[in-house]
Amino acid sequence: MTTLLTRMLRPPAPVTERTQLMDELGLSSSLALELLLEIEDELEIQIDVEDLDEDQMTTVADLADYITAHCTPR
């Protein structure tokens, strides 16, 4: 996850599990969707985004937890 974020957003500081997606990385809703699509392709999974909201995307760790709980293999 951190590798994808670093590649996509090129942040000035290292990305960790505590990095704030919106506040520190400036992740917009359109970039978040692009990120999820990249994760799906990279990991060959399908992520259920029906119930995803900003509260579940506060930090990198939050997003990773959501993905782990709401994904299925392709």
Side-chain angles (χ1 to χ4, degrees):
M1 178 87 59
T2 58
T3 302
L4 281 173
L5 284 166
T6 300
R7 186 173 11 150
M8 287 180 67
L9 302 175
R10 303 193 194 291
V15 176
T16 69
E17 64 183 36
R18 292 184 180 184
T19 300
Q20 301 284 314
L21 294 168
M22 308 287 181
D23 296 338
E24 293 179 61
L25 297 179
L27 192 70
S28 65
S29 57
S30 60
L31 276 175
L33 180 58
E34 188 177 329
L35 172 65
L36 292 173
L37 292 172
E38 285 283 331
I39 291 169
E40 286 182 333
D41 288 343
E42 190 85 16
L43 301 177
E44 297 182 3
I45 59 173
Q46 184 71 37
I47 301 168
D48 179 14
V49 294
E50 291 295 318
D51 298 323
L52 182 63
D53 62 28
E54 285 185 27
D55 293 339
Q56 293 159 321
M57 288 185 64
T58 304
T59 66
V60 172
D62 294 335
L63 181 57
D65 290 343
Y66 180 86
I67 291 169
T68 301
H70 295 88
C71 75
T72 55
R74 284 192 196 167

